[in-house]
Amino acid sequence: MRVTKLEHAALVVEHSGDRLFVDPGKFTTPITEAGGALAVVITHLHDDHWTPEQLGRIRDKSPGVRVLGPDGVVAAAADAGIEVERVAPGDEVEVGPFRLRFFGGRHAVIHPSIPVIDNVGVLVNDALYYAGDSFAVPEGVEVDALAAPAGAPWMKISEAMDYVMAVRPKRAFPTHEMVLSRAGKDLSNTRLGWATEQGGGEYLALEPGDSFDL
Protein backbone atom coordinates (compact mmCIF):
# COMPACT_ATOMS: atom_id res chain seq x y z
CA MET A 1 0.00 0.00 0.00
CA ARG A 2 1.53 3.31 -1.08
CA VAL A 3 0.62 6.65 0.49
CA THR A 4 1.24 9.88 -1.41
CA LYS A 5 0.89 13.26 0.25
CA LEU A 6 -0.77 15.89 -1.92
CA GLU A 7 -1.01 19.58 -1.04
CA HIS A 8 -2.54 20.60 2.28
CA ALA A 9 -4.89 17.94 3.71
CA ALA A 10 -5.16 15.63 0.70
CA LEU A 11 -3.79 12.10 0.45
CA VAL A 12 -4.01 9.32 -2.10
CA VAL A 13 -3.57 5.69 -1.10
CA GLU A 14 -2.85 3.07 -3.76
CA HIS A 15 -3.24 -0.67 -3.40
CA SER A 16 -2.91 -3.13 -6.29
CA GLY A 17 -3.86 -0.46 -8.82
CA ASP A 18 -6.85 0.82 -6.85
CA ARG A 19 -6.93 4.29 -5.34
CA LEU A 20 -8.46 5.97 -2.31
CA PHE A 21 -8.49 9.77 -2.06
CA VAL A 22 -8.82 11.65 1.22
CA ASP A 23 -9.81 15.33 1.56
CA PRO A 24 -9.12 16.84 -1.88
CA GLY A 25 -9.82 20.52 -1.20
CA LYS A 26 -9.21 23.98 -2.61
CA PHE A 27 -5.55 24.19 -1.53
CA THR A 28 -4.78 21.00 -3.44
CA THR A 29 -3.67 21.17 -7.08
CA PRO A 30 -6.58 20.11 -9.35
CA ILE A 31 -6.61 16.32 -9.40
CA THR A 32 -6.47 14.98 -12.93
CA GLU A 33 -4.77 11.61 -12.36
CA ALA A 34 -7.66 9.76 -10.75
CA GLY A 35 -8.11 6.58 -12.76
CA GLY A 36 -8.84 3.54 -10.62
CA ALA A 37 -10.31 5.55 -7.76
CA LEU A 38 -12.70 3.42 -5.72
CA ALA A 39 -13.54 5.89 -2.97
CA VAL A 40 -13.09 9.41 -1.64
CA VAL A 41 -13.25 10.07 2.09
CA ILE A 42 -14.14 13.62 3.15
CA THR A 43 -13.60 14.23 6.85
CA HIS A 44 -15.74 17.40 7.09
CA LEU A 45 -17.39 20.10 5.02
CA HIS A 46 -14.75 22.88 5.02
CA ASP A 47 -13.65 23.64 1.49
CA ASP A 48 -9.94 23.19 2.18
CA HIS A 49 -10.90 19.50 2.50
CA TRP A 50 -13.26 19.11 -0.45
CA THR A 51 -14.79 21.01 -3.33
CA PRO A 52 -17.41 19.95 -5.88
CA GLU A 53 -14.83 20.66 -8.60
CA GLN A 54 -12.28 18.26 -7.14
CA LEU A 55 -14.91 15.54 -6.75
CA GLY A 56 -16.06 16.18 -10.31
CA ARG A 57 -12.55 15.65 -11.66
CA ILE A 58 -12.20 12.38 -9.78
CA ARG A 59 -15.62 11.15 -10.92
CA ASP A 60 -14.76 12.01 -14.53
CA LYS A 61 -11.83 9.58 -14.39
CA SER A 62 -13.54 7.01 -12.15
CA PRO A 63 -17.33 7.23 -12.70
CA GLY A 64 -18.20 4.57 -10.11
CA VAL A 65 -16.23 6.14 -7.28
CA ARG A 66 -17.93 6.15 -3.86
CA VAL A 67 -17.82 9.31 -1.76
CA LEU A 68 -18.07 9.00 2.03
CA GLY A 69 -18.43 11.69 4.68
CA PRO A 70 -20.30 12.79 7.81
CA ASP A 71 -23.75 14.41 7.89
CA GLY A 72 -22.53 17.92 7.15
CA VAL A 73 -20.76 16.77 4.00
CA VAL A 74 -23.78 14.73 2.91
CA ALA A 75 -25.98 17.84 3.09
CA ALA A 76 -23.49 20.23 1.47
CA ALA A 77 -22.70 17.85 -1.37
CA ALA A 78 -26.39 17.23 -2.03
CA ASP A 79 -26.77 20.98 -2.66
CA ALA A 80 -24.10 20.56 -5.35
CA GLY A 81 -25.84 17.52 -6.84
CA ILE A 82 -23.32 15.03 -5.48
CA GLU A 83 -24.33 11.92 -3.55
CA VAL A 84 -22.27 11.18 -0.46
CA GLU A 85 -22.64 8.09 1.71
CA ARG A 86 -23.03 9.00 5.37
CA VAL A 87 -20.42 7.66 7.79
CA ALA A 88 -20.10 8.25 11.52
CA PRO A 89 -17.73 7.26 14.32
CA GLY A 90 -17.82 3.51 14.85
CA ASP A 91 -18.71 2.73 11.24
CA GLU A 92 -16.65 0.38 9.12
CA VAL A 93 -16.77 0.29 5.32
CA GLU A 94 -14.95 -1.99 2.89
CA VAL A 95 -14.27 -0.70 -0.62
CA GLY A 96 -12.16 -3.06 -2.72
CA PRO A 97 -8.87 -3.60 -0.87
CA PHE A 98 -9.54 -0.71 1.52
CA ARG A 99 -10.99 -1.27 4.97
CA LEU A 100 -12.10 2.07 6.41
CA ARG A 101 -12.86 2.60 10.10
CA PHE A 102 -14.18 5.93 11.37
CA PHE A 103 -13.47 7.73 14.65
CA GLY A 104 -13.97 11.06 16.40
CA GLY A 105 -17.14 12.91 15.46
CA ARG A 106 -16.49 16.61 16.00
CA HIS A 107 -14.22 19.27 14.50
CA ALA A 108 -11.77 20.93 16.89
CA VAL A 109 -12.94 24.26 18.29
CA ILE A 110 -11.74 27.22 16.22
CA HIS A 111 -13.39 29.92 18.37
CA PRO A 112 -16.50 30.00 20.57
CA SER A 113 -18.17 32.25 17.98
CA ILE A 114 -17.82 29.58 15.27
CA PRO A 115 -20.14 26.55 15.37
CA VAL A 116 -18.47 23.16 15.84
CA ILE A 117 -19.24 20.85 12.90
CA ASP A 118 -19.15 17.13 12.17
CA ASN A 119 -15.73 15.61 11.50
CA VAL A 120 -14.61 12.00 11.18
CA GLY A 121 -11.16 10.52 11.42
CA VAL A 122 -10.40 7.60 9.12
CA LEU A 123 -8.21 4.55 9.68
CA VAL A 124 -7.20 2.82 6.44
CA ASN A 125 -6.43 -0.91 6.60
CA ASP A 126 -5.64 -0.64 10.31
CA ALA A 127 -2.43 1.16 9.37
CA LEU A 128 -2.86 4.77 8.20
CA TYR A 129 -4.78 7.19 10.39
CA TYR A 130 -5.91 10.71 9.62
CA ALA A 131 -8.20 12.55 12.05
CA GLY A 132 -9.26 15.41 9.79
CA ASP A 133 -9.50 18.66 11.75
CA SER A 134 -9.41 17.06 15.16
CA PHE A 135 -7.16 15.43 17.71
CA ALA A 136 -9.32 12.29 17.94
CA VAL A 137 -7.19 9.36 19.11
CA PRO A 138 -8.21 5.95 17.71
CA GLU A 139 -8.41 4.06 20.99
CA GLY A 140 -7.10 0.51 20.96
CA VAL A 141 -5.27 0.94 17.64
CA GLU A 142 -1.53 0.66 17.02
CA VAL A 143 -1.10 3.24 14.27
CA ASP A 144 1.58 2.51 11.71
CA ALA A 145 1.44 5.93 10.00
CA LEU A 146 -0.18 9.11 11.31
CA ALA A 147 -1.02 12.20 9.28
CA ALA A 148 -0.29 14.87 11.89
CA PRO A 149 -1.63 18.43 11.59
CA ALA A 150 1.17 20.99 11.20
CA GLY A 151 -0.73 24.28 11.15
CA ALA A 152 -4.35 25.44 11.33
CA PRO A 153 -6.62 28.13 12.87
CA TRP A 154 -7.89 25.49 15.31
CA MET A 155 -4.56 24.39 16.80
CA LYS A 156 -1.24 25.39 18.30
CA ILE A 157 1.86 23.28 17.83
CA SER A 158 1.95 22.11 21.46
CA GLU A 159 -1.48 20.50 20.96
CA ALA A 160 -0.31 18.70 17.83
CA MET A 161 2.79 17.49 19.69
CA ASP A 162 0.67 16.15 22.57
CA TYR A 163 -1.60 14.46 20.03
CA VAL A 164 1.30 12.69 18.31
CA MET A 165 2.62 11.52 21.67
CA ALA A 166 -0.84 10.22 22.61
CA VAL A 167 -1.16 8.20 19.39
CA ARG A 168 2.47 6.94 19.46
CA PRO A 169 2.63 6.06 15.75
CA LYS A 170 5.48 4.09 14.21
CA ARG A 171 5.70 6.86 11.60
CA ALA A 172 4.22 10.34 11.31
CA PHE A 173 4.16 12.95 8.57
CA PRO A 174 2.78 16.49 8.29
CA THR A 175 -0.58 17.45 6.87
CA HIS A 176 -2.70 20.62 6.84
CA GLU A 177 0.37 22.78 6.30
CA MET A 178 -0.43 24.95 3.24
CA VAL A 179 -1.37 27.79 5.61
CA LEU A 180 2.28 27.93 6.75
CA SER A 181 5.31 29.67 5.30
CA ARG A 182 8.47 27.69 4.57
CA ALA A 183 9.81 28.79 7.95
CA GLY A 184 6.58 27.69 9.61
CA LYS A 185 6.74 24.27 7.96
CA ASP A 186 10.32 23.79 9.12
CA LEU A 187 9.38 24.73 12.68
CA SER A 188 6.41 22.35 12.71
CA ASN A 189 8.50 19.53 11.27
CA THR A 190 11.07 19.98 14.04
CA ARG A 191 8.44 19.92 16.80
CA LEU A 192 6.37 17.07 15.35
CA GLY A 193 9.55 15.11 14.67
CA TRP A 194 10.55 15.41 18.32
CA ALA A 195 7.08 14.32 19.45
CA THR A 196 7.15 11.29 17.15
CA GLU A 197 10.53 10.22 18.47
CA GLN A 198 9.26 10.28 22.08
CA GLY A 199 7.20 7.18 21.25
CA GLY A 200 10.02 5.50 19.35
CA GLY A 201 8.61 6.45 15.95
CA GLU A 202 10.11 7.89 12.78
CA TYR A 203 9.09 11.27 11.38
CA LEU A 204 8.79 11.72 7.62
CA ALA A 205 8.98 15.39 6.60
CA LEU A 206 6.98 14.80 3.44
CA GLU A 207 6.42 17.48 0.82
CA PRO A 208 3.52 17.38 -1.69
CA GLY A 209 4.15 14.57 -4.14
CA ASP A 210 6.27 12.50 -1.74
CA SER A 211 5.27 8.87 -1.10
CA PHE A 212 6.04 6.03 1.26
CA ASP A 213 4.99 2.39 1.49
CA LEU A 214 3.02 0.66 4.22
Side-chain angles (χ1 to χ4, degrees):
M1 187 168 71
R2 171 158 288 192
V3 180
T4 300
K5 173 183 166 49
L6 305 180
E7 291 91 351
H8 198 55
L11 308 171
V12 57
V13 185
E14 299 178 78
H15 191 303
S16 303
D18 295 319
R19 285 175 170 167
L20 166 72
F21 285 90
V22 180
D23 279 4
K26 69 178 182 180
F27 296 150
T28 303
T29 297
I31 294 171
T32 56
E33 297 296 325
L38 299 184
V40 181
V41 172
I42 302 170
T43 61
H44 64 284
L45 62 80
H46 289 156
D47 61 4
D48 58 329
H49 292 257
W50 82 284
T51 67
E53 293 79 13
Q54 291 282 39
L55 290 184
R57 295 182 189 103
I58 295 170
R59 294 200 304 176
D60 286 345
K61 300 294 184 180
S62 298
V65 67
R66 295 170 64 182
V67 184
L68 303 95
D71 280 331
V73 175
V74 173
D79 290 341
I82 299 170
E83 181 180 355
V84 174
E85 300 176 39
R86 177 188 179 276
V87 290
D91 287 349
E92 182 177 320
V93 178
E94 292 196 13
V95 185
F98 303 112
R99 179 189 181 212
L100 310 174
R101 297 171 59 195
F102 295 93
F103 295 84
R106 305 297 284 169
H107 192 288
V109 173
I110 301 170
H111 186 268
S113 67
I114 300 173
V116 177
I117 61 172
D118 298 324
N119 178 96
V120 291
V122 62
L123 178 69
V124 182
N125 289 352
D126 294 318
L128 169 67
Y129 182 64
Y130 174 51
D133 283 7
S134 81
F135 295 120
V137 174
E139 298 295 342
V141 176
E142 292 187 7
V143 174
D144 192 328
L146 173 69
W154 47 269
M155 59 159 275
K156 55 186 179 180
I157 196 64
S158 63
E159 295 172 319
M161 293 166 70
D162 287 342
Y163 169 63
V164 171
M165 288 190 288
V167 176
R168 297 177 62 88
K170 295 178 183 176
R171 287 175 282 186
F173 62 93
T175 189
H176 213 286
E177 87 293 17
M178 295 301 284
V179 295
L180 299 177
S181 67
R182 180 69 262 172
K185 291 182 182 182
D186 291 343
L187 184 152
S188 291
N189 282 336
T190 298
R191 300 304 184 206
L192 295 176
W194 178 88
T196 304
E197 291 166 1
Q198 302 316 295
E202 176 188 9
Y203 186 73
L204 309 175
L206 301 184
E207 293 290 334
D210 290 346
S211 302
F212 67 96
D213 293 328
L214 284 172

